[in-house]
Amino acid sequence: LLAAFGERFAKPRRMDPVHHHHLLDAFERRSLADYDPVADFDLDDITSAIVAAEAFIQAATDLPDTEAV
């Protein structure tokens, strides 16, 4: 999914590639939380993830319907 998003949206710049980087970072953090019993995230980590998610949702919402496929 992450690779497909990069190929279809980030590489052709249909969406700002920063969103792809944020998705990769979120996946890495989720994996860390799943497999590291002492994974520690501070308030700044959580806040930046929420801000990135909100920006992603807004960017995806702003895509024309023809570009969403």
Side-chain angles (χ1 to χ4, degrees):
L1 179 66
L2 296 172
F5 179 83
E7 287 294 318
R8 290 182 160 225
F9 294 96
K11 239 183 200 178
R13 302 191 65 80
R14 292 161 108 181
M15 286 180 72
D16 189 329
V18 74
H19 296 298
H20 188 230
H21 295 291
H22 288 156
L23 285 172
L24 293 169
D25 185 49
F27 180 77
E28 184 179 322
R29 289 173 193 249
R30 196 222 60 173
S31 295
L32 182 63
D34 283 350
Y35 299 109
D36 184 348
V38 292
D40 187 27
F41 302 103
D42 62 22
L43 185 57
D44 288 338
D45 293 330
I46 297 164
T47 302
S48 66
I50 291 170
V51 168
E54 290 172 340
F56 177 87
I57 291 168
Q58 186 60 54
T61 301
D62 292 343
L63 279 174
D65 287 338
T66 57
E67 291 190 42
V69 235

